[in-house]
Amino acid sequence: ALRFEVGSTLFNALNEVELEEVIFTVANLVNSGGRSVLGSLEGSRRLQLARLNLLAARRAVEQSAFNSAARYANAGVELLPNRRRWKDPSKELMLELSSISAEVAGSLSRRRDLERWCEEILCRNELTIYDKLRAYICLIDSMGKNDCPDQ
């Protein structure tokens, strides 16, 4: 709980530029709070921390730290309320976290994870074809990597 409090305090105190410099440290501290701490947070705070994990996941992808990106994206998803993940205000956040998760799974050659994340996106009727584009690209790319052009 102490690490979570330190991370939360830093997250609240730092401006955008400062946070960018220490994003991994802050995200790791916040995520170390565990399910009991994170589960007791109110909805708006959970959304803020999910966005923090999205920023960390994006930064990790930029640095080709795909395992870390997967952890941050998954942590972000876990912070979103189960039954409302695909509804506003968390819909766009869930789409971005899921898309990153699919892309990272592809980069790590984790076919099952890639398919699971793509299915999570593609089965959503409320999403547009444009929203689903990254998932389709991931699937097509994975077929090319596996030399399976007939699928």
Side-chain angles (χ1 to χ4, degrees), residues 22-41:
V22 293
I23 189 75
F24 299 132
T25 301
V26 174
N28 289 337
L29 287 167
V30 166
N31 292 341
S32 71
R35 289 182 187 260
S36 61
V37 172
L38 297 174
S40 66
L41 297 173

Side-chain angles (χ1 to χ4, degrees), residues 6-25:
V6 171
S8 188
T9 300
L10 286 170
F11 179 62
N12 292 333
L14 298 174
N15 66 39
E16 193 174 317
V17 174
E18 294 168 330
L19 180 61
E20 182 75 21
E21 292 176 15
V22 293
I23 189 75
F24 299 132
T25 301

Side-chain angles (χ1 to χ4, degrees), residues 111 140-151:
R111 177 105 180 152
I140 291 167
D141 187 48
S142 74
M143 284 187 240
K145 287 180 182 175
N146 292 325
D147 295 319
C148 300
D150 58 330
Q151 291 184 358

Side-chain angles (χ1 to χ4, degrees), residues 21-71:
E21 292 176 15
V22 293
I23 189 75
F24 299 132
T25 301
V26 174
N28 289 337
L29 287 167
V30 166
N31 292 341
S32 71
R35 289 182 187 260
S36 61
V37 172
L38 297 174
S40 66
L41 297 173
E42 66 180 50
S44 62
R45 186 63 174 162
R46 293 172 69 93
L47 282 174
Q48 289 175 334
L49 298 180
R51 284 187 189 95
L52 168 70
N53 276 284
L54 174 59
L55 294 173
R58 284 178 177 158
R59 182 77 178 272
V61 167
E62 289 172 7
Q63 297 180 3
S64 299
F66 300 121
N67 284 310
S68 294
R71 279 195 311 276

Side-chain angles (χ1 to χ4, degrees), residues 80-136:
L80 299 176
N82 268 342
R83 295 182 182 183
R84 299 199 39 84
R85 285 181 178 162
W86 289 103
K87 299 192 181 336
D88 287 328
S90 57
K91 178 181 151 186
E92 292 301 318
L93 186 54
M94 181 63 184
L95 176 61
E96 185 65 20
L97 289 165
S98 298
S99 297
I100 287 174
S101 294
E103 292 164 350
V104 166
S107 296
L108 294 169
S109 298
R110 294 181 183 161
R111 177 105 180 152
R112 285 189 183 137
D113 289 341
L114 178 141
E115 289 173 350
R116 179 175 56 88
W117 285 112
C118 287
E119 183 178 335
E120 175 78 25
I121 296 166
L122 298 177
C123 76
R124 308 309 304 184
N125 293 328
E126 64 270 22
L127 297 177
T128 67
I129 191 73
Y130 179 76
D131 291 334
K132 297 176 181 183
L133 186 59
R134 287 169 69 185
Y136 282 120

